[in-house]
Amino acid sequence: MKKYFSLLLAGVLTASVLTGCGAGSNASSAKVDINSKTLSDGVLTVGTNAEFPPFEYVGDDGQPDGFDIALIKAVAENLGVEVVVENMEFDSLVSSIGSKTDVAIAGMTVTDERKQSVDFSTPYYSAMQHVLVPADSAISTYDDLKGKTLGCQLGTTGDFLIEDIEGATNQQYNKAVDAVNDLVNGRLDAVIVDSNPAGVFASNFQGQIKDLNGEDFGFEIEEYAIALPKGDTALKEAIDVAITTIKEDGTFDKLVDEYMK
Ligand code: ARG
């Protein structure tokens, strides 16, 4: 009787984990590692800043959409948990992990400074800072940026990079698109922003701004990864396996085709 009861209890526990599955997933894809306290409620609460196309933006339905959102949904399906996305300021993402959110996906570059507060998944994308300038600008080298008025999104690697440019005035914005608007309006000499969003912004203002490759400015390659609560190794392991699976089974390439135009 006792044995039957504990079997029944095990059945109930398994069932409660499985109800967390998103639509379309099945029992065999549920691989919840119960050692991860982050996943124990069957919900992955994900912070993002939906101001970074094509990785994240607010879709026509008012909800965050984009490559990263699709990727984290695929990861969660793989883990057999539900996703709840919280849209917030980029600058708040790291400090929200462990309180308001479980993890963050936001085209976030792995940096040593961030590693002091959070862990990172295996990287899923490589990028670089680009320089957006007015179409008639003479800026083309790193030295040309010295002493100029430069715009960026607050708390981003572009922001950190401007801090090191001699004599530059750093204009920080909550949204990169606001910096781009000020560039078009003649209030900035350049905007420093990641390669893919730079391409999107440049095509939105075709003929008005130029998208200059950061390679010509000596900028370094950056790796995007999912930011994770520090020390939850079971979660990191589970998410890394999910990313590897998604890369191997073709899902990742499908998302690249769908979102990176
Ligand atoms: N890759 C840059 C960084 O990590 C910019 C990311 C901005 N992402 C966003 N969703 N606004 O600092």
Side-chain angles (χ1 to χ4, degrees):
M1 185 62 184
K2 209 170 163 200
K3 192 171 171 203
Y4 173 75
F5 185 67
S6 64
L7 271 179
L8 192 73
L9 194 68
V12 169
L13 281 177
T14 313
S16 71
V17 169
L18 293 181
T19 30
C21 291
S25 59
N26 54 45
S28 66
S29 73
K31 294 179 209 142
V32 177
D33 188 334
I34 45 160
N35 292 322
S36 166
K37 64 176 187 332
T38 311
L39 292 183
S40 58
D41 59 355
V43 179
L44 187 66
T45 307
V46 180
T48 196
N49 170 249
E51 299 292 343
F52 198 67
F55 290 95
E56 44 267 332
Y57 47 83
V58 176
D60 294 337
D61 61 354
Q63 296 303 311
D65 193 5
F67 179 86
D68 281 346
I69 309 303
L71 178 64
I72 198 70
K73 284 182 179 164
V75 166
E77 180 164 347
N78 213 268
L79 302 175
V81 294
E82 266 176 50
V83 172
V84 173
V85 178
E86 297 284 352
N87 192 10
M88 58 181 75
E89 301 292 354
F90 183 77
D91 205 27
S92 308
L93 288 171
V94 164
S95 62
S96 296
I97 292 173
S99 53
K100 260 186 106 173
T101 58
D102 294 328
V103 303
I105 191 162
M108 192 182 286
T109 303
V110 177
T111 68
D112 287 340
E113 200 198 337
R114 289 172 183 157
K115 272 192 197 163
Q116 297 187 353
S117 324
V118 290
D119 288 341
F120 281 100
S121 71
T122 186
Y124 62 85
Y125 202 82
S126 299
M128 184 178 274
Q129 297 304 303
H130 272 207
V131 181
L132 295 175
V133 294
D136 59 358
S137 172
I139 291 174
S140 67
T141 67
Y142 186 85
D143 281 349
D144 294 339
L145 297 172
K146 294 179 178 166
K148 296 289 194 313
T149 304
L150 307 176
C152 64
Q153 184 180 25
L154 177 71
T156 60
T157 44
D159 184 1
F160 308 149
L161 207 151
I162 293 173
E163 287 297 305
D164 290 338
I165 300 176
E166 212 183 284
T169 303
N170 187 0
Q171 299 272 9
Q172 300 152 312
Y173 298 78
N174 282 328
K175 305 173 181 189
V177 69
D178 290 341
V180 173
N181 282 321
D182 269 2
L183 180 72
V184 171
N185 294 331
R187 293 195 191 96
L188 296 173
D189 295 309
V191 169
I192 300 196
V193 65
D194 300 50
S195 34
N196 297 71
V200 173
F201 295 136
S203 73
N204 290 348
F205 290 98
Q206 227 163 23
Q208 298 185 74
I209 55 181
K210 286 189 288 195
D211 172 13
L212 307 178
N213 195 323
E215 255 177 41
D216 301 332
F217 292 77
F219 298 159
E220 281 167 12
I221 290 178
E222 301 182 14
E223 302 285 352
Y224 294 170
I226 302 169
L228 310 170
K230 217 166 173 43
D232 191 340
T233 49
L235 179 69
K236 177 172 160 56
E237 234 165 79
I239 287 187
D240 284 352
V241 169
I243 292 173
T244 306
T245 306
I246 286 163
K247 285 206 164 180
E248 281 172 5
D249 73 6
T251 306
F252 189 90
D253 288 342
K254 242 178 59 195
L255 296 181
V256 169
D257 285 349
E258 190 176 341
Y259 289 99
M260 314 282 185
K261 280 159 204 149

